[in-house]
Amino acid sequence: MDLANSPLALPFPELPPIAGVTLRVARAHYKEWDRADLTFIEVAEGTAVAGVFTQSACASTEVELGREQVKSGTARALIVNAGNSNAFTGYRGREAVEMIMDQVSEALGCDRSQVLVSSTGVIGVPLPKDKAREGVTAAVHAEPCSWEDVANAIATTDTFAKGAYASAMIGETQVELCGIIKGSGMIAPDMATMLGYVFTDADIAPDFLQEMLGAANNQTFSCITVDGDTSTSDTVLAFATGKAGHARIVGWDCPGADAFAAALNDITRQLAQLVVRDGEGASKFITIRVSGAASDDSAQHIGLCVANSPLVKTAIAGEDANWGRVVMAVGKAGEPADRDKLSIAFGGIWAARDGLPVDDYDETPVAQHLKGQNIDLAVELGIGEGRATVWTCDLTHGYISINADYRS
């Protein structure tokens, strides 16, 4: 299935090499496509790893094993399979993952627990061992490649390669962060998005890296939605090789901790927004800012209810400033709200204030705003200090076409 690039696509950025990270891709031929679909990323000995994973009760074997593996705090390699999620495949799926782990650990001379595996694609089809074995062999012996090559290799229904960059100063040392991600549909995570990976040369203690990744996730990956569906395979991993040469950061009191945390939050936000920009069938990128809620968590929940509403999303797709649909979505969220204090704005123009339509409301500039690709929607509840920002896209006929033909 050939997909035209999303109209919201951004060009792939220039990403520098990260010391201690080697990128390779190969063709495992998981599907009948003429492209690399297996990624092998080798990281230096002693690399710290942290991860967040789907909260799905039907998670894949890769997710189940990954949750345990990141507890060790170190990694040597990452394998990503595209075209087959290997989820809901029982013992056959687990055997395939363990085979890959054994094969890579033997090639690198490391414990297999240090080899993390992710898979994405069709659910319910066991990962073919023969193709996986041959793909890993080819990848291990492949020449190093670029970040864009890897971003393309991990994709499924994505229409453009997604990457991001950030940096931070730790004392006199500049550290680099590079990230890649894939995701386009089945996006409404309880933790992250489809598959995302961040690599840095900073020296961060594993426990603290996990703490910072969790915090960044809460403000970025857990604030996006495309369609309200959470994948069985959602995974975000962060790898810190420690090759930058600065003193190790072990907690918030260490010099550079705040700067690194800000950079990590920056790159995860960039990656999360790229997924929304490639939402299946998307034509508009929507930012929803909720303020005046009972708490930040309440604001986030309300924002996601608005973002997941088919009525809100289709109204914006049709460039209709139907703020009544936003009222509906706020009301159904199950969070504290007062009808007579609720205010709603599009593009910075208030359509309703304190539970009533604005007397001199002129829809002309709002209609013009909705004709653009970047849509801003504000919801002010007027009952507290809680606030949150979430990101989504509109819902068009394209989403139906892509998913109706997904296995064809």
Side-chain angles (χ1 to χ4, degrees):
M1 178 172 52
D2 294 325
L3 301 174
N5 271 9
S6 165
L8 307 175
L10 296 180
F12 196 84
E14 290 290 332
L15 300 183
I18 297 292
V21 178
T22 304
L23 313 172
R24 296 183 174 90
V25 298
R27 293 182 181 177
H29 302 283
Y30 290 128
K31 294 179 68 176
E32 294 183 4
W33 48 21
D34 186 24
R35 46 156 281 197
D37 54 6
L38 186 145
T39 298
F40 168 46
I41 301 179
E42 180 182 353
V43 293
E45 289 187 30
T47 293
V49 65
V52 287
F53 301 88
T54 182
Q55 297 300 305
S56 171
C58 297
S60 67
T61 291
E62 287 86 334
V63 167
E64 291 178 337
L65 291 172
R67 288 171 179 157
E68 294 302 313
Q69 288 171 288
V70 296
K71 292 178 182 178
S72 72
T74 60
R76 284 297 318 280
L78 168 68
I79 295 288
V80 184
N81 304 300
N84 184 318
S85 76
N86 198 38
F88 206 71
T89 54
Y91 73 91
R92 289 177 295 176
R94 189 178 185 92
E95 286 179 348
V97 178
E98 292 178 340
M99 180 203 73
I100 290 172
M101 293 166 61
D102 287 338
Q103 187 177 356
V104 174
S105 66
E106 182 177 350
L108 296 181
C110 66
D111 191 277
R112 80 173 190 174
S113 66
Q114 293 187 299
V115 180
L116 291 108
V117 182
S118 296
S119 300
T120 179
V122 175
I123 293 171
V125 179
L127 194 71
K129 291 182 182 179
D130 54 344
K131 292 182 178 180
R133 184 183 300 108
E134 292 173 4
V136 170
T137 297
V140 167
H141 294 95
E143 290 296 315
C145 65
S146 70
W147 289 109
E148 188 169 7
D149 290 332
V150 172
N152 279 311
I154 68 174
T156 50
T157 61
D158 302 58
T159 70
F160 65 95
K162 304 172 180 67
Y165 169 78
S167 65
M169 294 301 298
I170 299 178
E172 300 297 318
T173 303
Q174 178 170 307
V175 299
E176 319 279 356
L177 298 87
C178 292
I180 54 171
I181 200 162
K182 65 85 49 184
S184 186
M186 203 180 289
I187 305 295
D190 294 320
M191 43 53 64
T193 186
M194 288 294 291
L195 301 180
Y197 309 102
V198 175
F199 300 85
T200 180
D201 55 1
D203 191 352
I204 313 290
D207 288 349
F208 192 49
L209 183 62
Q210 182 67 51
E211 180 180 342
M212 285 192 289
L213 180 62
N217 162 73
N218 289 339
Q219 299 177 52
T220 58
F221 294 122
S222 286
C223 292
I224 65 170
T225 180
V226 168
D227 49 21
D229 287 331
T230 297
S231 171
T232 58
S233 307
D234 291 341
T235 298
V236 169
L237 298 172
F239 300 85
T241 67
K243 295 297 184 180
H246 61 83
R248 169 165 276 206
I249 296 177
V250 299
W252 293 110
D253 292 336
C254 293
D258 290 340
F260 182 82
L264 182 60
N265 193 79
D266 178 20
I267 198 170
T268 56
R269 183 177 60 253
Q270 291 182 59
L271 293 172
Q273 291 183 359
L274 287 171
V275 172
V276 172
R277 287 184 169 277
D278 203 14
E280 290 171 345
S283 68
K284 298 182 187 296
F285 178 84
I286 306 167
T287 300
I288 302 172
R289 307 178 202 277
V290 180
S291 59
S295 67
D296 290 349
D297 287 344
S298 180
Q300 184 186 50
H301 186 207
I302 290 169
L304 288 171
C305 281
V306 174
N308 279 322
S309 167
L311 289 177
V312 173
K313 292 160 77 73
T314 51
I316 292 177
E319 301 174 356
D320 177 14
N322 191 338
W323 52 267
R325 293 184 175 182
V326 180
V327 174
M328 173 278 301
V330 172
K332 76 172 185 178
E335 296 290 340
D338 185 332
R339 178 199 62 199
D340 297 330
K341 295 182 179 179
L342 181 62
S343 302
I344 297 165
F346 293 93
I349 299 170
W350 294 104
R353 293 286 275 174
D354 299 323
L356 291 171
V358 172
D359 288 337
D360 58 351
Y361 172 56
D362 180 2
E363 195 166 296
T364 303
V366 173
Q368 188 62 38
H369 175 71
L370 291 177
K371 291 182 181 299
Q373 290 186 335
N374 297 301
I375 309 302
D376 290 314
L377 171 58
V379 176
E380 165 62 50
L381 284 97
I383 62 173
E385 300 297 324
R387 61 181 58 246
T389 302
V390 303
W391 301 278
T392 190
C393 57
D394 56 343
L395 180 60
T396 70
H397 291 289
Y399 182 86
I400 298 171
S401 298
I402 290 167
N403 285 285
D405 298 337
Y406 183 62
R407 296 198 304 166
S408 303

